[in-house]
Amino acid sequence: MNLADIPLQPRFLSLRCGRRLAWYEFGDPAGMPCVYATGTPTSGIAGAFYHEAARDAGVRWISPDKPGYGQSDPQPGGGLIDWAEDIAALADHLQLERFAVAGESGGGPRALALCHALPGRVTVALLLAAIGPMQDAAACRGMHRANRVMFRLARHAPVLLHGALLLLRRGALRPQMPDDRDKLRRQLAAMPLADRVLYEQPQIRTLLKRAGAEALRQGVAPAVEDVVLLSRPWGFALESIGVPVHLWQGSADRSVPPAMAQAMALTLPHATLHLVEGAGHLVSFGVQAEIMGLIRRAAGTKEQE
């Protein structure tokens, strides 16, 4: 992956309410469209990880900044269904009658919200190490303690999340420091082997840091709201989703444990679970060609109906 060859310029849409929505486009501009909901806290720049695979497969990868992230205006008090309305407006602006949706990590609930709100327009949903409903304690089995604490604070004391996210923002925005090598070694040691191999690649680390820093450019309040949204009831039931959903889950993931994907796969009416042995939270890096193939096949199926 050569970042110099990937377009990283945002585009903008003024919504009816007066807010501005920013998004990025990767892959093939004339390809089958897919709207990608990024993780938490990550800006739409993270869609660049899929640029080459999408381009090669003829997929148009559309990667919005979530409210308050990057260059999208905040939406205080907005829920997942409100975000789906924003994306419907973007799809109308881009003249997309039908499209696939993908959600990674904390973006998974937003992808499912699109399925719930726009069932006639979404062809297929792709969940990549995606967060599930946090009310299911059994589904959180195996999650890192730090993540469990974060979601508990989001439910009961979200103000306490500000301090942790301020530290994250400070680290993302600061230039590289002499002690960063020691910090990187500690981070790598805590990762599953599959994630460690990927994260050791400078281009991947650079883009991850840039996407995180860009997400927090307006401050940490939108990220706090994002985590609160994920931790509380989403405003729709998984059983209501009639769109085909494919879930990819790494068996070694501890950020979002396998039990969470398994619980969602049992609840969603039309779900297919792809459990990747040995993969961690970056499971999507190894299945991008498969993801793009599903997007194309789903678009072809809809065209024949």
Side-chain angles (χ1 to χ4, degrees):
M1 180 179 65
N2 187 348
L3 292 180
D5 297 334
I6 301 177
L8 294 177
Q9 292 300 316
R11 307 179 188 196
F12 301 99
L13 172 66
S14 294
L15 300 167
R16 286 185 177 181
C17 63
R19 293 169 36 247
R20 182 174 74 166
L21 172 66
W23 82 96
Y24 297 80
E25 293 208 17
F26 305 101
D28 181 354
M32 305 294 183
C34 178
V35 175
Y36 170 60
T38 62
T40 303
T42 310
S43 83
I45 286 176
F49 283 119
Y50 299 88
H51 174 67
E52 293 175 358
R55 180 197 60 202
D56 295 345
V59 170
R60 183 182 181 185
W61 196 261
I62 300 162
S63 185
D65 279 337
K66 292 183 283 188
Y69 281 13
Q71 300 190 55
S72 283
D73 289 338
Q75 188 182 28
L80 296 175
I81 301 303
D82 297 303
W83 187 77
E85 293 176 0
D86 288 354
I87 300 306
L90 176 61
D92 291 344
H93 173 72
L94 297 176
Q95 298 182 335
L96 307 179
E97 181 180 355
R98 296 179 185 270
F99 49 91
V101 300
E104 187 151 15
S105 191
R110 293 181 184 271
L112 290 172
L114 289 172
C115 295
H116 171 79
L118 307 171
R121 300 182 74 172
V122 175
T123 58
V124 66
L126 315 162
L127 301 186
L128 314 170
I131 285 286
M134 299 301 298
Q135 292 71 46
D136 185 351
C140 297
R141 187 175 61 252
M143 180 180 284
H144 278 312
R145 182 177 181 275
N147 282 13
R148 294 200 309 272
V149 170
M150 176 182 69
F151 286 115
R152 193 174 300 123
L153 288 175
R155 288 193 297 274
H156 303 296
V159 67
L160 298 180
L161 280 179
H162 280 261
L165 288 170
L166 281 171
L167 290 174
L168 178 64
R169 182 174 187 263
R170 188 179 304 161
L173 294 178
R174 76 175 188 176
Q176 188 166 350
M177 305 294 285
D179 63 348
D180 281 353
R181 289 184 180 180
D182 291 337
K183 182 180 178 182
L184 176 60
R185 278 195 290 268
R186 291 194 299 272
Q187 289 176 329
L188 292 173
M191 290 180 181
L193 177 60
D195 284 354
R196 195 182 314 155
V197 170
L198 291 166
Y199 204 74
E200 284 174 341
Q201 300 178 35
Q203 292 273 42
I204 289 178
R205 286 202 310 276
T206 297
L207 186 53
L208 282 171
K209 182 170 183 177
R210 180 170 177 178
E214 179 65 15
L216 299 172
R217 67 182 290 163
Q218 299 184 53
V220 301
V224 172
E225 291 182 8
D226 196 9
V227 178
V228 169
L229 272 181
L230 301 181
S231 68
R232 295 178 177 173
W234 296 346
F236 59 91
L238 295 185
E239 293 88 347
S240 71
I241 293 174
V243 175
V245 180
H246 289 260
L247 304 93
W248 278 269
Q249 176 66 44
S251 67
D253 192 351
R254 294 297 173 263
S255 295
V256 178
M260 191 159 276
Q262 291 162 348
M264 284 198 290
L266 289 172
T267 308
L268 289 160
H270 307 287
T272 302
L273 175 60
H274 309 266
L275 186 62
V276 183
E277 191 63 35
H281 197 54
L282 302 181
V283 61
S284 64
F285 281 75
V287 297
Q288 290 188 4
E290 190 176 352
I291 290 167
M292 302 305 164
L294 275 169
I295 292 169
R296 290 191 59 85
R297 287 197 294 277
T301 299
K302 289 295 183 183
E303 287 173 359
Q304 294 169 14
E305 291 180 355

